[in-house]
């Protein structure tokens, strides 16, 4: 409820604590895919198609290799939290909803920290930070998509 009140009042809101402490990887990628991009939840397994090209995958337990594009995959979704090209898809999806992004490095007192903001037309702001630009983008996007209890 406090998070929602921040949004309504126009104050800046950061990602929820569970997102701010989440590392980049398959768990965050799945959360971004389902909550932010509104993709269908996909179970990772033998029948999972390649998230890049949709091709058939050769399942090898924790990872799969696509027969079509030969890429190794560790998740049913693109690597939004570690690959900048995939993270830009998140930015594009947010822009399509009228929420624009700003991405920058932190000031000189915090080298190696990236900051991402999403700003709506009514000036609500959500931010996230991370050691990489994709991680900061994903954390900020998940701040917009909060609360995390259940997808809508």
């Amino acid at each position: 409820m406090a998070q929602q009140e921040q949004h309504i009042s126009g104050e800046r809101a950061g990602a929820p604590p569970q997102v701010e402490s989440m590392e980049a990887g398959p768990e965050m990628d799945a959360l971004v895919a389902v909550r932010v991009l509104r993709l269908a939840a996909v179970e990772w397994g033998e029948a999972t198609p390649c998230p890049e090209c949709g091709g058939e995958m050769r399942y090898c337990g924790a990872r799969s290799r696509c027969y079509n594009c030969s890429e190794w995959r560790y998740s049913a979704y693109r690597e939004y939290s570690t690959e900048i090209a995939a993270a830009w898809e998140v930015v594009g999806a947010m822009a399509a909803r009228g929420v624009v992004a700003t991405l920058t490095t932190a000031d000189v007192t915090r080298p190696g920290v990236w900051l991402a903001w999403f700003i709506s037309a009514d000036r609500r702001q959500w931010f996230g930070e991370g050691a990489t630009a994709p991680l900061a983008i994903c954390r900020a996007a998940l701040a917009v998509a909060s609360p995390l209890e259940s997808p809508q």
Side-chain angles (χ1 to χ4, degrees):
M1 187 66 166
Q3 183 88 2
Q4 188 175 16
E5 290 170 2
Q6 286 180 326
H7 293 286
I8 292 169
S9 69
E11 295 178 17
R12 291 184 349 178
Q18 61 269 49
V19 171
E20 279 299 323
S21 62
M22 186 181 292
E23 295 296 323
E27 181 183 6
M28 179 172 279
D29 297 337
L31 205 54
V32 168
V34 173
R35 296 212 173 263
V36 176
L37 300 176
R38 300 175 182 159
L39 299 177
V42 176
E43 191 68 33
W44 180 241
E46 292 182 29
T48 306
C50 176
E52 288 294 325
C53 72
E56 185 179 344
M57 302 278 284
R58 180 179 57 222
Y59 185 68
C60 303
R63 66 183 184 164
S64 290
R65 186 163 194 154
C66 179
Y67 286 115
N68 189 39
C69 68
S70 298
E71 292 292 322
W72 283 102
R73 296 287 163 212
Y74 298 88
S75 166
Y77 304 103
R78 297 204 56 210
E79 296 168 337
Y80 303 108
S81 63
T82 57
E83 297 293 329
I84 193 65
W88 283 124
E89 286 183 28
V90 174
V91 171
M94 298 302 291
R97 291 184 213 145
V99 181
V100 297
T102 299
L103 180 67
T104 185
T105 55
D107 61 41
V108 294
T109 63
R110 297 174 59 204
V113 175
W114 285 85
L115 304 172
W117 280 272
F118 284 105
I119 306 166
S120 66
D122 61 357
R123 298 180 186 243
R124 291 182 292 163
Q125 299 181 41
W126 301 267
F127 64 93
E129 63 179 58
T132 64
L135 180 57
I137 289 168
C138 288
R139 286 178 173 165
L142 286 167
V144 177
S146 292
L148 293 176
E149 287 77 31
S150 62
Q152 298 298 323

